[in-house]
Amino acid sequence: MKRIAVITGASGGLGKEFVRQIINEVDEVWAIGRNVAKLEGLKTEFGQADGNGAAGSKIIPLQMDLSDSKAFDILSGRLVSEGGDSAVEISWLINNAGAGRFGPSKDFSTSELATSITTHCTAMAAICNICIPYMKAGDHLVNVASQSAFSPLPYINLYAATKAFVYSYSRALREELRDTGIIVTTICPGWIKTALLPDTLNGHMVKFPFLVTADKVAAKAIRDARRGKPLSIYRFAVRYVSWLQRHYPTGFSVRVWANSVRKYLK
Ligand SMILES: NC(=O)c1ccc[n+]([C@@H]2O[C@H](COP(=O)([O-])OP(=O)(O)OC[C@H]3O[C@@H](n4cnc5c(N)ncnc54)[C@H](OP(=O)(O)O)[C@@H]3O)[C@@H](O)[C@H]2O)c1
């Protein structure tokens, strides 16, 4: 039985860190993203890192645009072509792919709305359904939400709303899967230094409080998943602010957030 990790958004940022930290415990990492050059680059990078190329040969790049539902058929077809659930076990499924930007909601086109909702919500739920039949007791399903899941956030309204979906869906899925022994962990990071975050907005340098690196977030997520935890939030300060988000009156926290962002949008 081949043990694999399926990781979406593996071409950079947090997803690439998940690849780095999981690659030694599986036979293959199915690395999903749109940028095939970056996915192919992982083979070289991880191959060089271990000296003999063995880790690099474990990377299976799968070019997929998760905003296009055809991607889901590609993934399920690939699993079937491997020989089905008697030949492949998905030890780790990490739904990590994501994108977003700041701006007033009125500036988002219908196609941008659809792309974001499909990539964050439909793809995450569809990939869970495709992969779960290949998972067994003790295997890990990790869904990447965000601290933004805990409160409505003006000017990243679409992003935060889709992450609230990921959070809610994943927490419920965990309970549904309890009897199977598959462990679902939702991760809700604060700001991570990756290509997702802009350096400037309208010419203003942006300051992201409690900014952390992706390796720390991935390590904490993997540790928490192994301990069977439902939720993983790296760094005490982010856990504390997340608690405030959930316990302060929504109108108050929404206004505080909006005021902190408006200065960048002028
Ligand atoms: N950075 C933060 O502050 C932060 C905070 C909380 C949560 N998160 C979440 O962490 C996850 C990883 O983000 P990141 O910070 O690592 O950003 P990133 O460096 O921009 O990485 C995003 C990854 O998602 C992939 N992706 C985006 N759209 C895709 C699509 N339509 N189809 C397939 N792959 C797609 C990208 O690959 P391609 O370009 O190759 O498609 C890339 O590998 C996201 O879910 C994000 O929402 C990030």
Side-chain angles (χ1 to χ4, degrees):
M1 172 82 77
K2 184 159 58 177
R3 285 164 59 86
I4 68 170
V6 174
I7 303 179
T8 73
S11 61
L14 183 59
K16 188 164 149 184
E17 272 309 317
F18 277 121
V19 175
R20 191 187 312 283
Q21 296 184 31
I22 280 172
I23 196 161
N24 286 334
E25 62 181 83
V26 291
D27 300 312
E28 286 179 0
V29 175
W30 291 16
I32 295 175
R34 292 164 301 183
N35 187 324
V36 74
K38 282 191 182 171
L39 295 173
E40 290 289 348
L42 297 176
K43 289 174 83 74
T44 321
E45 185 178 333
F46 287 101
Q48 282 165 353
D50 75 355
N52 60 13
S57 64
K58 289 184 177 184
I59 306 266
I60 310 296
L62 295 178
Q63 186 187 22
M64 290 181 200
D65 181 348
L66 297 177
S67 68
D68 179 348
S69 58
K70 286 192 209 83
F72 316 141
D73 296 335
I74 297 172
L75 180 60
S76 51
R78 178 77 195 229
L79 284 162
V80 170
S81 73
E82 289 285 331
D85 62 0
S86 56
V88 179
E89 177 177 349
I90 300 177
S91 309
W92 288 87
L93 166 61
I94 304 185
N95 279 301
N96 162 77
R101 68 175 177 91
F102 286 84
S105 301
K106 68 177 177 49
D107 289 357
F108 286 71
S109 67
T110 305
S111 93
E112 196 171 356
L113 295 172
T115 294
S116 180
I117 292 168
T118 311
T119 305
H120 291 168
C121 307
T122 313
M124 180 275 298
I127 291 174
C128 287
N129 283 349
I130 290 165
C131 292
I132 286 166
Y134 294 82
M135 301 178 79
K136 298 188 168 42
D139 291 335
H140 291 286
L141 195 167
V142 176
N143 284 338
V144 179
S146 162
Q147 184 188 356
S148 67
F150 297 130
S151 165
L153 296 178
Y155 310 114
I156 51 166
N157 187 5
L158 173 64
Y159 178 84
T162 59
K163 291 298 182 177
F165 176 96
V166 175
Y167 175 78
S168 174
Y169 191 93
S170 310
R171 295 297 303 257
L173 185 64
R174 176 182 169 92
E175 184 56 34
E176 289 186 22
L177 294 182
R178 184 176 291 279
D179 291 345
T180 67
I182 298 167
I183 301 152
V184 181
T185 301
T186 310
I187 84 161
C188 291
W191 303 116
I192 315 168
K193 199 169 167 34
T194 67
L196 188 77
L197 300 187
D199 293 328
T200 59
L201 275 173
N202 292 333
H204 306 284
M205 292 286 289
V206 191
K207 276 195 187 154
F208 293 101
F210 311 123
L211 189 66
V212 297
T213 51
D215 57 330
K216 302 262 178 29
V217 177
K220 164 90 172 139
I222 292 168
R223 209 163 51 238
D224 285 341
R226 287 206 173 102
R227 289 176 180 158
K229 291 196 176 174
L231 181 63
S232 176
I233 304 176
Y234 174 65
R235 202 166 169 186
F236 174 77
V238 180
R239 282 198 294 282
Y240 179 62
V241 176
S242 304
W243 185 88
L244 293 178
Q245 282 175 285
R246 279 172 281 174
H247 291 86
Y248 269 49
T250 303
F252 174 75
S253 47
V254 165
R255 224 163 304 127
V256 169
W257 164 265
N259 286 335
S260 74
V261 177
R262 276 192 189 106
K263 61 177 181 276
Y264 294 116
L265 299 175
K266 284 180 186 147

